[in-house]
């Protein structure tokens, strides 16, 4: 399973890349706004080089299909690792599957996004999307179980040997990450604050504190033993 970072913040991406846990990054217009990205091209190009050969998803921002195609083709020139995010429908419910299909035929990788149902994922895959982004938190917002959607889509992809990969996004809690991983997500895109929550644990800190304290005590005991001549062979003489 891969982990992407759901962010446009260079500092955060670099930090978690250096921890060795980031396989790619995803953005959307809301993330760009939140992260203060006003020079989309400049930031996208910097993120592309930061990420090396790992994919960076950038989302189109139009309801118009010709404009989506135009933006997508431009984004694709910004780096070899650019993946274009196309919402499966526009805000009026018009299908974007033709856009996904055209871009895929041109060799531009598409992340079909804002997927909230099994059937949307099926059609996005049929249209040629490289990634199908299932929005876990938004599915749950509507009172539905995202794990069921993830599990069913994964089962269907496997059953018919499709190569599209599920990205689970819209993470709202650390438990969403665990649930998505166990339900069969190929990739989970994690907002930066959740990495710290995933790795930290109060009792782990207490455990390490105890080890450090005891190591310190042991060193003191060794120093005393050496000073008093009790210790000559590296043992504390207690055994
Ligand atoms: C990622 O690809 C999505 O755009 C993002 O995770 C959506 O998250 P949200 O539902 O919190 O806006």
């Amino acid at each position: 399973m891969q982990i992407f970072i759901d962010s446009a913040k260079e500092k955060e991406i670099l930090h978690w890349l250096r921890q060795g846990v980031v396989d790619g990054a995803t953005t959307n217009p809301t993330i760009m706004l939140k992260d203060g990205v006003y020079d989309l091209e400049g930031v996208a190009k910097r993120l592309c080089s930061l990420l090396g050969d790992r994919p960076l998803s950038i989302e189109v921002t139009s309801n118009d299909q010709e404009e989506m195609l135009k933006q997508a083709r431009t984004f694709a020139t910004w780096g070899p690792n650019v993946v274009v995010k196309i919402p499966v429908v526009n805000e009026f419910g018009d299908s974007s599957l033709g856009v996904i299909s055209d871009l895929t035929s041109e060799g531009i990788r598409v992340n079909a996004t804002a997927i909230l149902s099994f059937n949307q994922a099926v059609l996005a895959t049929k249209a040629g999307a490289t990634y199908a982004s299932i929005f876990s938190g938004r599915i749950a917002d509507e009172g539905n179980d995202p794990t069921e959607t993830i599990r069913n889509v994964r089962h269907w992809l496997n059953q018919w040997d499709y190569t599209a990969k599920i990205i689970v996004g819209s993470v709202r809690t650390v438990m969403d990450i665990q649930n998505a991983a166990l339900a069969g997500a190929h990739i989970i895109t994690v907002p930066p604050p959740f990495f710290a929550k995933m790795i930290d644990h109060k009792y782990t800190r207490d455990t390490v504190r105890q080890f450090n304290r005891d190591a310190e005590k042991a060193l003191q005991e060794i120093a005393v033993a050496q000073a008093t001549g009790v210790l000559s062979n590296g043992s504390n003489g207690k055994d």
Side-chain angles (χ1 to χ4, degrees):
M1 195 196 78
Q2 293 192 320
I3 293 183
F4 288 1
I5 185 164
D6 206 15
S7 173
K9 275 196 189 140
E10 289 177 64
K11 214 174 135 198
E12 304 265 29
I13 295 175
L14 191 59
H15 175 76
W16 291 105
L17 267 175
R18 284 189 176 143
Q19 303 284 315
V21 294
V22 169
D23 300 300
T26 51
T27 64
N28 64 35
T30 303
I31 290 173
M32 294 293 190
L33 179 70
K34 181 173 67 65
D35 291 349
V37 174
Y38 303 116
D39 169 19
L40 181 62
E41 180 174 350
V43 171
K45 284 180 173 171
R46 279 203 299 279
L47 294 184
C48 277
S49 75
L50 202 65
L51 286 160
D53 57 3
R54 301 171 185 87
L56 169 71
S57 286
I58 311 171
E59 187 157 347
V60 297
T61 54
S62 175
N63 285 312
D64 179 74
Q65 299 189 354
E66 282 310 313
E67 178 59 23
M68 285 184 192
L69 286 166
K70 196 170 142 219
Q71 289 183 10
R73 289 173 184 138
T74 302
F75 296 167
T77 65
W78 293 347
N81 49 342
V82 166
V83 174
V84 180
K85 267 176 129 178
I86 307 286
V88 282
V89 291
N90 68 10
E91 66 181 85
F92 307 112
D94 303 320
S95 160
S96 308
L97 296 171
V99 175
I100 295 172
S101 174
D102 285 355
L103 293 172
T104 303
S105 311
E106 292 171 26
I108 296 175
R109 286 182 296 165
V110 173
N111 175 348
T113 193
I115 291 178
L116 298 169
S117 72
F118 174 85
N119 286 328
Q120 288 177 320
V122 165
L123 290 182
T125 301
K126 294 289 297 175
T130 301
Y131 300 104
S133 278
I134 298 178
F135 278 20
S136 142
R138 292 185 191 246
I139 292 176
D141 283 344
E142 295 232 298
N144 296 309
D145 179 3
T147 58
E148 201 181 312
T149 310
I150 298 161
R151 195 173 297 111
N152 288 343
V153 173
R154 178 63 189 261
H155 175 76
W156 178 80
L157 290 172
N158 288 354
Q159 188 177 18
W160 297 99
D161 290 331
Y162 281 107
T163 56
K165 299 274 181 275
I166 298 169
I167 301 178
V168 172
S170 191
V171 164
R172 303 278 163 80
T173 70
V174 174
M175 201 58 198
D176 294 340
I177 298 167
Q178 181 175 327
N179 287 337
L182 297 177
H186 295 96
I187 302 154
I188 302 173
T189 188
V190 176
F194 288 91
F195 283 103
K197 284 174 186 264
M198 287 167 80
I199 188 63
D200 197 12
H201 197 295
K202 185 182 175 302
Y203 195 31
T204 305
R205 290 188 193 200
D206 291 347
T207 304
V208 175
R209 191 170 296 118
Q210 176 198 326
F211 292 160
N212 286 344
R213 213 173 30 235
D214 288 346
E216 184 63 31
K217 275 188 206 161
L219 285 174
Q220 282 166 8
E221 285 182 17
I222 291 166
V224 170
Q226 278 171 337
T228 55
V230 173
L231 193 68
S232 56
N233 60 359
S235 130
N236 64 4
K238 284 183 180 170
D239 296 324

